[in-house]
Amino acid sequence: MNYYLIYDGDCNLCVTLVQLLETLDQGKLLRYVPMQDEQSLKQWGITEQNCQQGMILIDANAPERLWQGSDAAEEIGRLLPLGSIFVDAYRALPGAKWAGDRFYEQIRDNRYTIFGKRDSTYQSVYCVDC
């Protein structure tokens, strides 16, 4: 385990992403914390307002190192097998980073409208405190 991923446990899209990552990684690199778990977030000084800016990836060995939003998505991509090839190719395309950031913001700000909101917060089997 090397990273903590803070995600929206009420968002259908976010939960689907976490479930996909759980399947791919099986807890080897990533542990998960829903942004609704305010008690766990306090240990990193993360507030609800921080979470509104998108998912957060924290380096477990150096918690001061973190990525948020589309930067977190890219860093997760780099962590996956062969993922850095795709992230590097994406970054090499002129304007792709800017467009990707704007796309992420639109999805983030409209996630419940587009993908729906869960009735209960999803708790990963690979959680931080389990």
Side-chain angles (χ1 to χ4, degrees):
M1 174 189 63
N2 296 319
Y3 299 90
Y4 305 127
L5 177 61
I6 300 169
Y7 66 98
D8 184 346
D10 292 343
C11 167
N12 286 327
L13 174 65
C14 306
V15 169
T16 299
L17 170 66
V18 166
Q19 290 172 333
L20 174 64
L21 290 170
E22 288 171 336
T23 301
L24 293 172
D25 179 55
Q26 299 190 353
K28 293 175 187 151
L29 289 174
L30 297 166
R31 295 289 176 167
Y32 307 90
V33 180
M35 66 183 232
Q36 291 77 12
D37 184 352
E38 294 176 23
Q39 189 64 30
S40 291
L41 299 182
K42 283 182 185 179
Q43 65 187 303
W44 301 296
I46 294 174
T47 66
E48 180 182 340
Q49 291 78 19
N50 298 132
C51 292
Q52 295 307 316
Q53 297 305 308
M55 67 177 159
I56 302 170
L57 183 68
I58 301 172
D59 183 329
N61 299 318
E64 66 280 0
R65 282 188 52 192
L66 58 84
W67 301 262
Q68 187 159 21
S70 61
D71 292 333
E74 290 175 25
E75 191 62 26
I76 292 166
R78 281 188 240 276
L79 295 172
L80 298 174
L82 302 176
S84 62
I85 295 169
F86 295 103
V87 173
D88 291 344
Y90 158 77
R91 279 288 186 104
L93 294 170
K97 172 68 174 151
W98 181 88
D101 289 349
R102 302 298 80 75
F103 181 72
Y104 182 92
E105 291 167 3
Q106 288 300 310
I107 296 297
R108 176 198 67 202
D109 295 344
N110 298 289
R111 63 189 180 273
Y112 296 140
T113 303
I114 299 169
F115 299 100
K117 186 173 182 179
R118 298 173 54 88
D119 292 330
S120 61
T121 301
Y122 178 76
Q123 299 288 336
S124 172
V125 296
Y126 302 108
C127 58
V128 170
D129 295 327
C130 54

